[in-house]
Amino acid sequence: MKRISKFLSLLMVAAMLSLLIPVSALAAEEAVSGQESPNEFGLVIVTTEAADTETVLPEETANSSEIASLPVDAEVSVPTDNSPETNVVSEQPVISTIEPETIETQAATYLCLTQNGVIIDVLATNTGSDYAYDAAANELTLNNFIGEKLDVKSAAVPFKLVLLGTNIIKTDNGFAVKVDGDMNASGTGMLIAEGQATPDIMGGGINVVGNLVIDSGNYDIAAVGYESSSSAVGILTGDNAEVMTMGNLTINGGNIDVTAYNSDYAGAFGLFAFGDLIVNGGNIDVFTDSPSSYSRGIGAYDKLVFNGGYTVVESIADHGDAGALFSYNQIIINNGILNLCTSGAIAKALVAEGSIDISPIYGDVDRDAACLYLEPLSAQTFKKQHASSANPKTGVDATASDAAVAGAALIMMIGLAYTLGKREMQV
């Protein structure tokens, strides 16, 4: 019996051993295959093979920058010793989160010079004998350039025009310089820009459909109208061709000489901004002539502001309406010297649909006068000879009359002193 019981015990041990072998083999097979339970399906996404398939990750999620910062255990908790494949999560976003279209270029998108009837693509040919373009700075330097047109489109950053030498741009088709975007002008040279209107478009020297800042340089601008169709404008910011585009004109320095003439009703305008026009400095000389229409010197659709500089305006309209300064909103004169004169059927130095605000430093000013010479009373220099103004406090160059008055007063004082002296001697 003891032998039988020992045999049975051995049989039971052998059976148990045979049962243990499939269980361990099955566990090993599952570890090799990498199959996971339904509750851990997220781990399949982070495997190397799955990361490259579109079915694992939706397209919009794969491109999201949030995936890059997603922690490993954000959705499921995984033991660190589970599988080497789980380490792929921290490196998953192989696609760059910076899209190429978000990087702004500094260069203009269109930049052409016309010379001798030939259009030069400056973006393709950056340098010529009389021009050079720096794409990184979006800066065009003209050095003794002679041509017919400068056309620019620059949406990213302001286009910069630097003047060296004497540059001449003349056209009979619109504006000599046309910039679609913002522009900054500077340099030690000169720009002679002349343009003529056509039946369809205004014409003149410079048109910036955006904001224009003039820091330095010399500008000789001429504009001619076209019969009864379009206006002549020396320098224009903004546009009203289809939908009105606002544009500010800021003058910080430089010498600007503008002439605009129109023989018909569309009018002649020296400087005009479809926005604010602000003069902080520089020397400005404007002459406009439109015999039977509007003759306007310097104007703005919004505010016209003078903070400094020396400005001379003469506007003539023999049978029309002449105005030296005009605004559809407000004229503000804070500082600077202004010599303004108009003549015509209707002639006023200051024309505004809103208010006309003049600093007290000019004294009393006749806002309805045809001619005004405005110079701060605290620093009168009478920088330029000028005709008698309708504003006697600030406008009359009274050096001669003052000398006569002072001489008469001195003679009277000498006579009075002599008389008093004789009386004292008699007493």
Side-chain angles (χ1 to χ4, degrees), residues 30 58 72 108 117 177 194 211 213 215 239 255 258 293 300 302 333 377 411 425:
E30 287 183 357
V72 176
V177 176
E194 300 180 5
N211 301 316
V213 177
D215 286 325
D239 198 2
N255 300 294
V258 178
S293 183
D302 203 349
I333 302 177
L377 294 170
I411 292 172
M425 288 177 65

Side-chain angles (χ1 to χ4, degrees), residues 76-418:
V76 290
S77 298
V78 185
T80 55
D81 59 347
N82 183 28
S83 170
E85 292 176 347
T86 59
N87 295 330
V88 181
V89 174
S90 59
E91 300 176 358
Q92 188 194 344
V94 233
I95 302 174
S96 172
T97 56
I98 301 176
E99 299 180 359
E101 55 268 24
T102 62
I103 301 175
E104 291 187 353
T105 176
Q106 298 291 311
T109 55
Y110 181 87
L111 176 52
C112 289
L113 288 164
T114 303
Q115 190 174 50
N116 298 322
V118 178
I119 298 177
I120 304 170
D121 185 352
V122 179
L123 297 180
T125 309
N126 291 164
T127 305
S129 60
D130 44 15
Y131 76 89
Y133 178 62
D134 183 347
N138 196 19
E139 181 177 280
L140 175 67
T141 299
L142 297 181
N143 192 352
N144 295 315
F145 176 85
I146 299 176
E148 297 86 55
K149 278 273 194 175
L150 168 60
D151 289 303
V152 183
K153 290 183 181 178
S154 177
V157 296
F159 167 72
K160 303 174 190 65
L161 178 64
V162 179
L163 303 173
L164 299 177
T166 300
N167 305 278
I168 303 172
I169 303 177
K170 296 183 179 182
T171 182
D172 58 359
N173 183 22
F175 285 92
V177 176
K178 181 68 178 285
V179 178
D180 190 351
D182 297 336
M183 172 174 153
N184 176 275
S186 63
T188 58
M190 171 174 281
L191 173 64
I192 299 173
E194 300 180 5
Q196 181 174 331
T198 71
D200 302 318
I201 58 174
M202 293 181 287
I206 301 173
N207 179 206
V208 175
V209 187
N211 301 316
L212 169 60
V213 177
I214 299 177
D215 286 325
S216 58
N218 302 286
Y219 305 85
D220 191 348
I221 309 296
V224 179
Y226 182 86
E227 296 179 352
S228 60
S229 299
S230 303
S231 301
V233 189
I235 298 178
L236 173 68
T237 57
D239 198 2
N240 66 340
E242 296 177 357
V243 178
M244 188 172 72
T245 304
M246 305 298 283
N248 300 326
L249 171 56
T250 304
I251 300 173
N252 296 321
N255 300 294
I256 303 169
D257 195 332
V258 178
T259 300
Y261 175 79
N262 196 337
S263 61
D264 221 313
Y265 77 87
F269 304 83
L271 307 175
F272 185 77
F274 277 103
D276 295 332
L277 197 159
I278 301 173
V279 177
N280 295 319
N283 297 299
I284 304 171
D285 196 331
V286 175
F287 174 81
T288 61
D289 186 0
S290 184
S292 58
S293 183
Y294 291 95
S295 180
R296 296 286 195 246
I298 301 176
Y301 191 83
D302 203 349
K303 294 178 182 178
L304 175 60
V305 183
F306 287 85
N307 296 320
Y310 183 70
T311 302
V312 177
V313 178
E314 182 178 2
S315 292
I316 302 173
D318 294 335
H319 306 287
D321 189 340
L325 306 182
F326 72 103
S327 170
Y328 290 101
N329 186 352
Q330 186 179 19
I331 295 176
I332 302 171
I333 302 177
N334 295 320
N335 213 326
I337 299 174
L338 297 94
N339 189 3
L340 315 172
C341 198
T342 61
S343 62
I346 302 174
K348 287 180 66 175
L350 307 175
V351 180
E353 292 190 4
S355 63
I356 299 175
D357 300 332
I358 302 177
S359 171
I361 64 175
Y362 294 99
D364 297 329
V365 177
D366 182 0
R367 288 165 171 77
D368 295 320
C371 294
L372 287 173
Y373 183 87
L374 304 179
E375 183 173 7
L377 294 170
S378 58
Q380 285 198 358
T381 59
F382 293 106
K383 180 175 179 180
K384 183 177 180 181
Q385 291 294 326
H386 52 275
S388 177
S389 167
N391 175 13
K393 266 201 172 180
T394 62
V396 178
D397 189 351
T399 52
S401 60
D402 284 351
V405 172
L410 180 60
I411 292 172
M412 289 176 63
M413 290 178 66
I414 293 173
L416 180 60
Y418 178 76

Side-chain angles (χ1 to χ4, degrees), residues 6-22:
K6 287 182 178 180
F7 178 71
L8 291 174
S9 298
L10 289 173
L11 286 176
M12 291 177 66
V13 170
M16 290 178 66
L17 289 174
S18 65
L19 289 173
L20 288 173
I21 292 171

